[in-house]
Amino acid sequence: MMYDLIEQARAVIAAQLATAPRVALILGSGLGALADELEQAVVVPYRAIPGFHEPQVAGHRGELAVGVLSGQPVAVLRGRFHFYEGYTMQQVTFPVRVLRALGCETLIVTNAAGGLRPDWQVGEIMRIADQIFLPGMAGHHPLIGPNDERLGPRFPAMVGAFDPELASLARAVAAEQGLTLREGVYCMLAGPSFESAAELRLLRGLGADAVGMSTAPEVIVARHAGMRVLGLSLITNLALPDGPPANHEEVLAAGELARARFAALIRGVLARM
Ligand code: HPA
């Protein structure tokens, strides 16, 4: 049963910690290096945690780091599980459950995304103002099945899922740092193929500003569990119907280039939470 597996994972991790983390951070493709900046870090490899798996995707390492970042006790998931790897939506979102059980009340979730707006630049950061969870709408949803009331309500609301206070904080920190912070709608597709030109036109028509293959299920589960959520996408490529095809190498390279700016924004937000 999921509740018991969450508890087992929580206990394995908690046994190694002196203090409980309050903020959970999920670092997407190429953004994991921030975990190296933790103070008093305790690192737990995913293979040591019940219910976790070894990530298979280049740029995702597969360890949980708990420590202090900009004065905040944080738990950093370095590497995530993707639906396209063959995991179920419950497996994809299991780490969020565990971090909630460890004491995290806030989730900062990041990803690499294709930008759907021709006026945006590669390397820019978009705060996720809202999301479209296409696989969820099509029946691949982490909350399908019996609902365990200990974990959250049967029918959680998703209007306002992205916390307005954290949004203001992110805007203020970006302004201080002279950083352009875009805001928009993130649309999750299952992947792993990149979108066709017709699909990109469709996504624009749906009101999406960025497209990726993660994040939406984690946000749903975090909200189900009552966490506050800040979502940040790094625009690693422009996904335009008449543009060049996307590839994973450019996604990783853009992560590398934007790493310092991205890290500074997250640190600034943590410092003021
Ligand atoms: N499409 C889907 N997922 C992505 C992209 C993209 O263009 N870039 C980074 N992740």
Side-chain angles (χ1 to χ4, degrees):
M1 181 182 182
M2 178 152 72
Y3 192 87
D4 300 325
L5 191 58
I6 295 167
E7 178 48 31
Q8 281 170 34
R10 188 204 62 77
V12 165
I13 300 163
Q16 304 183 45
L17 303 181
T19 47
R22 296 203 39 237
V23 180
L25 260 157
I26 302 179
L27 299 176
S29 289
L31 301 169
L34 187 58
D36 292 331
E37 299 177 24
L38 260 57
E39 297 152 45
Q40 303 154 48
V42 173
V43 177
V44 189
Y46 285 178
R47 75 184 109 77
I49 309 174
F52 279 51
H53 309 269
E54 282 287 320
Q56 312 291 333
V57 186
H60 286 260
R61 187 182 294 192
E63 56 191 30
L64 170 68
V66 185
V68 177
L69 191 60
S70 298
Q72 285 287 344
V74 298
V76 184
L77 290 165
R78 189 169 189 177
R80 59 150 59 88
F81 310 123
H82 299 87
F83 185 62
Y84 63 72
E85 295 174 82
Y87 299 115
T88 64
M89 285 293 183
Q90 283 79 15
Q91 290 172 319
V92 165
T93 53
F94 183 73
V96 176
R97 295 283 184 204
V98 174
L99 295 191
R100 177 76 183 107
L102 276 169
C104 295
E105 289 158 355
T106 301
L107 173 67
I108 301 180
V109 60
T110 70
N111 59 48
L116 295 167
R117 302 184 50 148
D119 53 325
W120 288 5
Q121 313 280 320
V122 167
E124 285 187 322
I125 299 170
M126 181 190 89
R127 187 187 72 80
I128 304 177
D130 204 346
Q131 70 178 14
I132 300 172
F133 181 24
L134 280 184
M137 294 173 77
H140 293 290
H141 194 292
L143 303 182
I144 284 180
N147 186 61
D148 189 331
E149 292 287 330
R150 292 171 292 183
L151 299 177
R154 173 74 288 187
F155 299 111
M158 287 302 144
V159 169
F162 295 91
D163 189 80
E165 272 176 44
L166 291 173
S168 313
L169 202 54
R171 283 187 209 113
V173 170
E176 255 172 40
Q177 297 180 347
L179 177 81
T180 302
L181 185 63
R182 303 290 193 179
E183 307 218 334
V185 174
Y186 175 84
C187 183
M188 182 210 175
L189 275 64
S193 51
F194 287 112
E195 304 70 37
S196 70
E199 285 164 345
L200 291 173
R201 281 190 292 267
L202 171 75
L203 295 177
R204 274 305 284 149
L206 291 178
D209 301 297
V211 57
M213 305 175 190
S214 68
T215 303
E218 289 115 308
V219 170
I220 300 249
V221 163
R223 292 301 299 149
H224 183 245
M227 300 172 85
R228 301 199 301 157
V229 178
L230 173 67
L232 298 169
S233 292
L234 173 65
I235 304 301
T236 55
N237 57 288
L238 292 189
L240 305 175
D242 46 5
N247 66 77
H248 191 56
E249 288 64 42
E250 72 180 342
V251 170
L252 293 181
E256 198 61 35
L257 281 178
R259 198 164 73 189
R261 273 178 297 127
F262 211 92
L265 176 62
I266 291 176
R267 280 173 155 280
V269 169
L270 287 171
R272 290 171 53 163
M273 274 177 63

